[in-house]
Amino acid sequence: MDNSMKKKSFKESEDTELRRGPWTLEEDTLLTNYILHNGEGRWNLVAKCAGLKRTGKSCRLRWLNYLKPDIRRGNLTPQEQLLILELHSKWGNRWSKIAQYLPGRTDNEIKNYWRTRVQKQARQLNIESNSDKFFDAVRSFWVPRLIEKMEQNSSSTTNYCCPQNINTNNNDSLLPPSQSHDSKSIQTYTDFSGQNICLSNIDGSTSSSTFMSDLTTVPHFMDHNNFTDGSLCFHEGYDQELGGYIPGMEDDYMGNQECHVADGYSVYEDVTQDPMWNMDDIWQFRD
DNA sequence: AAAACAGGCAACCGCTGGCCC
DNA sequence: TGGGCCAGCGGTTGCCTGTTT
């Protein structure tokens, strides 16, 4: 047997040692228990010490995309969808970067959303999903439709427009939510026009926010003419590169379990079931 | 009822950049 | 300075499930 054969057989035996494919409940438990007791650390070490026959890479992926306690599951909310559209228009396929602004959502999930939903819509329109034409179509039809859904949701549930917890430490105002720290928990009610942000403190008192005094920080998909009544509650967050503040961040899931229930159903359940496009409306965008 | 098809998503692959020796 | 190791990222694949025929 020559060296290459030896190498091959060694590699083969190594490969058969390593498990691949779907994770079992037992593996999940091993990994979760290990990380909860010892922290993440080096993934190759984690895999070894946890007694898993998986690569460190595989363990990392499983933990980050599925097992991590703060992972959110279920359909993306209209706010999250808006945010993805906006951030993608700015950064392109920088999924991990986009994911930083959607707490609890993974880059993988956002990537899958983009590929399966957004690109599908673009295909139906026969438009490149990253073209100006597509952005125009999104701005003109998709965004208003999402807004409409949000309106419906906010009127059909008292939970939707409830106060949310956000971080208001000024020192952190340029950090993505996940990087913020030492947060003071306050509650916000947001005028959808972006002009009259009302911060409601825990004790019920209110104070004005200066965060959105600059309307250029509002996603450019959003046509403010659509939001003249100021009745919508839009969630806010901080954005490092967009210049400060963007809606849709710091969603209400932390303090508002009803909106994102663990059984996979939520008040937004129907949102993604609806066709985003009215084909009559968007005929003009077709090539 | 069953086969074919399509969509959604978990997981893998390959590349890149950072760190350490 | 260069090589090895590792984590992270984006692209891709393949399986599972629901829907259609």
Side-chain angles (χ1 to χ4, degrees):
Chain A
M1 188 186 288
D2 62 17
N3 279 344
S4 65
M5 290 282 281
K6 279 180 192 168
K7 269 185 190 170
K8 193 182 174 193
S9 59
F10 174 71
K11 190 171 187 320
E12 275 172 354
S13 69
E14 229 184 10
D15 286 346
T16 53
E17 282 289 312
L18 283 175
R19 269 188 55 78
R20 294 177 57 188
W23 281 63
T24 64
L25 190 62
E26 190 188 1
E27 288 176 312
D28 282 348
T29 308
L30 279 173
L31 183 58
T32 305
N33 285 341
Y34 179 85
I35 291 177
L36 289 179
H37 285 105
N38 304 286
E40 294 179 13
R42 295 203 154 202
W43 288 106
N44 282 338
L45 218 61
V46 169
K48 208 172 178 181
C49 296
L52 289 159
K53 290 176 175 160
R54 296 272 183 175
T55 64
K57 245 181 173 181
S58 181
C59 292
R60 174 183 164 273
L61 211 63
R62 185 64 178 171
W63 175 253
L64 294 179
N65 287 341
Y66 195 83
L67 298 175
K68 213 174 171 187
D70 56 358
I71 294 293
R72 299 175 65 188
R73 315 210 70 80
N75 291 331
L76 290 161
T77 66
Q79 292 100 317
E80 288 173 321
Q81 293 178 54
L82 278 173
L83 192 54
I84 291 169
L85 292 172
E86 165 61 21
L87 295 180
H88 187 275
S89 76
K90 186 153 189 81
W91 295 324
N93 298 355
R94 302 287 305 279
W95 308 118
S96 63
K97 191 166 186 159
I98 293 171
Q100 284 185 319
Y101 293 88
L102 289 109
R105 300 295 186 181
T106 67
D107 54 353
N108 210 30
E109 191 175 10
I110 294 166
K111 182 170 57 180
N112 282 334
Y113 166 75
W114 188 265
R115 296 186 66 83
T116 58
R117 309 288 176 79
V118 180
Q119 289 194 334
K120 188 179 99 181
Q121 301 289 343
R123 271 200 307 274
Q124 285 176 0
L125 295 172
N126 211 15
I127 304 175
E128 284 289 318
S129 62
N130 54 359
S131 66
D132 289 344
K133 209 172 185 181
F134 183 67
F135 291 142
D136 282 346
V138 168
R139 189 187 304 112
S140 303
F141 298 104
W142 195 333
V143 168
R145 190 161 257 261
L146 284 171
I147 302 298
E148 195 182 316
K149 284 293 173 190
M150 289 159 60
E151 277 178 338
Q152 283 169 11
N153 287 334
S154 66
S155 62
S156 66
T157 170
T158 55
N159 291 324
Y160 187 74
C161 223
C162 66
Q164 312 103 44
N165 298 320
I166 66 167
N167 299 326
T168 56
N169 184 319
N170 284 344
N171 293 332
D172 295 333
S173 63
L174 295 180
L175 293 174
S178 61
Q179 293 173 31
S180 298
H181 55 85
D182 191 27
S183 60
K184 273 188 293 182
S185 183
I186 68 155
Q187 299 169 324
T188 63
Y189 297 89
T190 307
D191 181 334
F192 205 75
S193 70
Q195 293 173 316
N196 299 309
I197 309 302
C198 175
L199 296 182
S200 172
N201 299 324
I202 288 292
D203 63 5
S205 62
T206 60
S207 56
S208 296
S209 167
T210 57
F211 289 131
M212 288 188 75
S213 55
D214 177 7
L215 288 182
T216 61
T217 62
V218 175
H220 55 261
F221 273 141
M222 305 195 183
D223 178 357
H224 295 290
N225 295 328
N226 291 335
F227 319 128
T228 51
D229 66 0
S231 62
L232 265 169
C233 172
F234 208 75
H235 305 177
E236 313 144 6
Y238 306 100
D239 177 65
Q240 195 165 1
E241 299 193 14
L242 295 178
Y245 225 50
I246 42 179
M249 289 169 48
E250 290 297 334
D251 210 345
D252 52 354
Y253 72 101
M254 287 165 72
N256 188 12
Q257 294 297 326
E258 289 95 335
C259 290
H260 305 281
V261 292
D263 65 5
Y265 295 94
S266 74
V267 295
Y268 313 121
E269 178 76 354
D270 65 330
V271 169
T272 55
Q273 309 305 316
D274 290 349
M276 285 297 177
W277 307 95
N278 177 323
M279 295 309 284
D280 292 334
D281 288 345
I282 59 177
W283 187 253
Q284 57 178 304
F285 287 99
R286 295 185 70 107
D287 287 329

Short mmCIF file of all heavy atoms in Angstrom, two decimals, chain A residues 151-183:
data_model
loop_
_atom_site.label_atom_id
_atom_site.label_comp_id
_atom_site.label_asym_id
_atom_site.label_seq_id
_atom_site.Cartn_x
_atom_site.Cartn_y
_atom_site.Cartn_z
N GLU A 151 -50.49 47.69 10.40
CA GLU A 151 -51.66 48.41 10.88
C GLU A 151 -52.75 47.45 11.34
O GLU A 151 -53.32 47.60 12.39
CB GLU A 151 -52.21 49.32 9.78
CG GLU A 151 -51.49 50.65 9.70
CD GLU A 151 -52.04 51.50 8.56
OE1 GLU A 151 -52.64 50.92 7.64
OE2 GLU A 151 -51.86 52.71 8.60
N GLN A 152 -52.98 46.45 10.46
CA GLN A 152 -54.01 45.47 10.79
C GLN A 152 -53.67 44.77 12.10
O GLN A 152 -54.50 44.59 12.97
CB GLN A 152 -54.14 44.43 9.68
CG GLN A 152 -54.89 44.95 8.47
CD GLN A 152 -54.76 44.01 7.29
OE1 GLN A 152 -54.28 42.89 7.43
NE2 GLN A 152 -55.17 44.47 6.12
N ASN A 153 -52.41 44.38 12.21
CA ASN A 153 -51.98 43.68 13.41
C ASN A 153 -52.12 44.55 14.64
O ASN A 153 -52.52 44.11 15.70
CB ASN A 153 -50.52 43.22 13.27
CG ASN A 153 -50.39 42.07 12.31
OD1 ASN A 153 -51.34 41.30 12.12
ND2 ASN A 153 -49.24 41.93 11.69
N SER A 154 -51.77 45.82 14.46
CA SER A 154 -51.81 46.69 15.63
C SER A 154 -53.24 46.96 16.07
O SER A 154 -53.50 47.20 17.24
CB SER A 154 -51.09 48.01 15.35
OG SER A 154 -51.80 48.73 14.37
N SER A 155 -54.17 46.92 15.12
CA SER A 155 -55.55 47.14 15.51
C SER A 155 -56.21 45.86 16.00
O SER A 155 -57.15 45.90 16.78
CB SER A 155 -56.35 47.71 14.34
OG SER A 155 -56.35 46.79 13.28
N SER A 156 -55.66 44.73 15.58
CA SER A 156 -56.28 43.47 15.98
C SER A 156 -55.72 42.93 17.27
O SER A 156 -56.26 42.04 17.87
CB SER A 156 -56.11 42.42 14.89
OG SER A 156 -54.75 42.09 14.74
N THR A 157 -54.62 43.48 17.70
CA THR A 157 -54.05 43.01 18.96
C THR A 157 -53.58 44.18 19.77
O THR A 157 -53.00 45.12 19.26
CB THR A 157 -52.88 42.03 18.75
OG1 THR A 157 -52.27 41.82 20.01
CG2 THR A 157 -51.85 42.57 17.79
N THR A 158 -53.85 44.15 21.04
CA THR A 158 -53.38 45.22 21.89
C THR A 158 -51.92 45.05 22.22
O THR A 158 -51.27 45.95 22.70
CB THR A 158 -54.17 45.24 23.21
OG1 THR A 158 -54.05 43.95 23.79
CG2 THR A 158 -55.61 45.57 22.96
N ASN A 159 -51.41 43.90 21.95
CA ASN A 159 -50.03 43.64 22.32
C ASN A 159 -49.05 44.29 21.37
O ASN A 159 -47.96 44.63 21.74
CB ASN A 159 -49.75 42.13 22.30
CG ASN A 159 -50.48 41.44 23.41
OD1 ASN A 159 -50.62 41.99 24.49
ND2 ASN A 159 -50.96 40.24 23.13
N TYR A 160 -49.47 44.42 20.14
CA TYR A 160 -48.51 44.82 19.14
C TYR A 160 -47.91 46.18 19.42
O TYR A 160 -46.75 46.42 19.23
CB TYR A 160 -49.16 44.82 17.75
CG TYR A 160 -48.13 45.07 16.72
CD1 TYR A 160 -47.24 44.05 16.41
CD2 TYR A 160 -47.98 46.31 16.12
CE1 TYR A 160 -46.24 44.26 15.49
CE2 TYR A 160 -46.99 46.51 15.21
CZ TYR A 160 -46.12 45.49 14.89
OH TYR A 160 -45.12 45.69 13.98
N CYS A 161 -48.74 47.08 19.87
CA CYS A 161 -48.26 48.45 20.04
C CYS A 161 -47.87 48.74 21.47
O CYS A 161 -47.77 49.88 21.87
CB CYS A 161 -49.31 49.43 19.58
SG CYS A 161 -48.60 50.77 18.61
N CYS A 162 -47.67 47.69 22.18
CA CYS A 162 -47.31 47.90 23.56
C CYS A 162 -45.88 48.40 23.68
O CYS A 162 -45.10 48.29 22.76
CB CYS A 162 -47.47 46.60 24.35
SG CYS A 162 -46.32 45.35 23.84
N PRO A 163 -45.55 48.92 24.81
CA PRO A 163 -44.20 49.43 24.98
C PRO A 163 -43.17 48.33 24.81
O PRO A 163 -43.43 47.18 25.08
CB PRO A 163 -44.21 49.92 26.43
CG PRO A 163 -45.63 50.12 26.77
CD PRO A 163 -46.37 49.10 25.98
N GLN A 164 -42.03 48.74 24.35
CA GLN A 164 -40.94 47.78 24.21
C GLN A 164 -39.76 48.24 25.04
O GLN A 164 -39.62 49.40 25.35
CB GLN A 164 -40.47 47.69 22.76
CG GLN A 164 -41.57 47.53 21.78
CD GLN A 164 -41.84 48.83 21.08
OE1 GLN A 164 -40.93 49.53 20.66
NE2 GLN A 164 -43.10 49.15 20.93
N ASN A 165 -38.93 47.31 25.34
CA ASN A 165 -37.70 47.66 26.03
C ASN A 165 -36.64 47.99 25.01
O ASN A 165 -36.43 47.25 24.07
CB ASN A 165 -37.21 46.47 26.86
CG ASN A 165 -38.21 46.10 27.91
OD1 ASN A 165 -38.81 46.97 28.53
ND2 ASN A 165 -38.42 44.81 28.09
N ILE A 166 -36.00 49.08 25.19
CA ILE A 166 -34.86 49.38 24.35
C ILE A 166 -33.73 49.90 25.19
O ILE A 166 -33.91 50.32 26.32
CB ILE A 166 -35.19 50.41 23.25
CG1 ILE A 166 -35.49 51.78 23.89
CG2 ILE A 166 -36.29 49.94 22.37
CD1 ILE A 166 -35.51 52.90 22.89
N ASN A 167 -32.58 49.85 24.62
CA ASN A 167 -31.43 50.37 25.32
C ASN A 167 -31.27 51.85 25.03
O ASN A 167 -31.27 52.27 23.90
CB ASN A 167 -30.16 49.64 24.86
CG ASN A 167 -30.27 48.18 25.14
OD1 ASN A 167 -30.87 47.80 26.13
ND2 ASN A 167 -29.72 47.36 24.27
N THR A 168 -31.13 52.61 26.05
CA THR A 168 -31.06 54.04 25.81
C THR A 168 -29.80 54.67 26.37
O THR A 168 -29.70 55.89 26.45
CB THR A 168 -32.25 54.75 26.46
OG1 THR A 168 -32.25 54.42 27.83
CG2 THR A 168 -33.53 54.33 25.80
N ASN A 169 -28.89 53.85 26.72
CA ASN A 169 -27.63 54.41 27.15
C ASN A 169 -26.99 55.14 25.97
O ASN A 169 -26.71 54.56 24.95
CB ASN A 169 -26.71 53.28 27.62
CG ASN A 169 -25.42 53.81 28.17
OD1 ASN A 169 -24.84 54.76 27.62
ND2 ASN A 169 -24.97 53.21 29.24
N ASN A 170 -26.81 56.41 26.12
CA ASN A 170 -26.31 57.19 25.00
C ASN A 170 -24.97 56.70 24.49
O ASN A 170 -24.67 56.82 23.31
CB ASN A 170 -26.18 58.67 25.40
CG ASN A 170 -27.54 59.33 25.45
OD1 ASN A 170 -28.50 58.78 24.91
ND2 ASN A 170 -27.65 60.46 26.10
N ASN A 171 -24.18 56.19 25.36
CA ASN A 171 -22.88 55.71 24.93
C ASN A 171 -23.00 54.54 23.97
O ASN A 171 -22.10 54.25 23.22
CB ASN A 171 -22.04 55.28 26.13
CG ASN A 171 -21.69 56.47 26.99
OD1 ASN A 171 -21.60 57.59 26.48
ND2 ASN A 171 -21.55 56.22 28.28
N ASP A 172 -24.12 53.88 24.03
CA ASP A 172 -24.29 52.69 23.20
C ASP A 172 -25.13 52.97 21.97
O ASP A 172 -25.43 52.08 21.20
CB ASP A 172 -25.01 51.59 23.99
CG ASP A 172 -24.15 51.13 25.13
OD1 ASP A 172 -22.92 51.24 25.02
OD2 ASP A 172 -24.71 50.68 26.13
N SER A 173 -25.46 54.20 21.78
CA SER A 173 -26.45 54.48 20.75
C SER A 173 -25.97 54.17 19.35
O SER A 173 -26.75 54.11 18.43
CB SER A 173 -26.89 55.94 20.83
OG SER A 173 -25.77 56.76 20.55
N LEU A 174 -24.70 53.94 19.20
CA LEU A 174 -24.21 53.61 17.86
C LEU A 174 -23.90 52.14 17.72
O LEU A 174 -23.26 51.73 16.77
CB LEU A 174 -22.96 54.45 17.54
CG LEU A 174 -23.22 55.95 17.45
CD1 LEU A 174 -21.94 56.69 17.13
CD2 LEU A 174 -24.29 56.27 16.42
N LEU A 175 -24.35 51.37 18.67
CA LEU A 175 -24.06 49.94 18.59
C LEU A 175 -25.29 49.15 18.20
O LEU A 175 -26.41 49.53 18.55
CB LEU A 175 -23.58 49.44 19.97
CG LEU A 175 -22.23 49.99 20.44
CD1 LEU A 175 -21.98 49.53 21.86
CD2 LEU A 175 -21.11 49.55 19.52
N PRO A 176 -25.07 48.06 17.50
CA PRO A 176 -26.19 47.16 17.28
C PRO A 176 -26.69 46.67 18.62
O PRO A 176 -25.95 46.67 19.59
CB PRO A 176 -25.59 46.00 16.48
CG PRO A 176 -24.30 46.51 15.99
CD PRO A 176 -23.85 47.57 16.93
N PRO A 177 -27.94 46.24 18.66
CA PRO A 177 -28.54 45.83 19.92
C PRO A 177 -27.72 44.81 20.68
O PRO A 177 -27.59 44.90 21.88
CB PRO A 177 -29.88 45.24 19.50
CG PRO A 177 -30.12 45.73 18.14
CD PRO A 177 -28.81 46.11 17.53
N SER A 178 -27.18 43.85 19.96
CA SER A 178 -26.47 42.78 20.63
C SER A 178 -25.21 43.28 21.30
O SER A 178 -24.67 42.63 22.17
CB SER A 178 -26.13 41.68 19.63
OG SER A 178 -25.30 42.20 18.63
N GLN A 179 -24.73 44.43 20.85
CA GLN A 179 -23.49 44.93 21.42
C GLN A 179 -23.74 45.97 22.51
O GLN A 179 -22.82 46.46 23.13
CB GLN A 179 -22.63 45.56 20.33
CG GLN A 179 -22.14 44.53 19.35
CD GLN A 179 -21.44 45.19 18.19
OE1 GLN A 179 -20.83 46.23 18.32
NE2 GLN A 179 -21.52 44.58 17.03
N SER A 180 -24.97 46.35 22.66
CA SER A 180 -25.27 47.34 23.67
C SER A 180 -25.14 46.71 25.04
O SER A 180 -25.32 45.52 25.21
CB SER A 180 -26.69 47.85 23.47
OG SER A 180 -26.80 48.48 22.22
N HIS A 181 -24.85 47.53 26.00
CA HIS A 181 -24.73 46.98 27.34
C HIS A 181 -25.18 48.02 28.33
O HIS A 181 -25.42 49.18 28.01
CB HIS A 181 -23.29 46.57 27.61
CG HIS A 181 -22.31 47.65 27.40
ND1 HIS A 181 -22.00 48.58 28.34
CD2 HIS A 181 -21.59 47.98 26.29
CE1 HIS A 181 -21.10 49.43 27.86
NE2 HIS A 181 -20.84 49.10 26.62
N ASP A 182 -25.29 47.59 29.55
CA ASP A 182 -25.68 48.49 30.62
C ASP A 182 -26.94 49.25 30.24
O ASP A 182 -27.05 50.46 30.40
CB ASP A 182 -24.54 49.48 30.91
CG ASP A 182 -24.83 50.25 32.19
OD1 ASP A 182 -25.55 49.70 33.04
OD2 ASP A 182 -24.35 51.39 32.31
N SER A 183 -27.89 48.53 29.71
CA SER A 183 -29.07 49.22 29.21
C SER A 183 -29.98 49.66 30.33
O SER A 183 -30.16 48.98 31.32
CB SER A 183 -29.83 48.30 28.26
OG SER A 183 -30.22 47.16 28.95
#
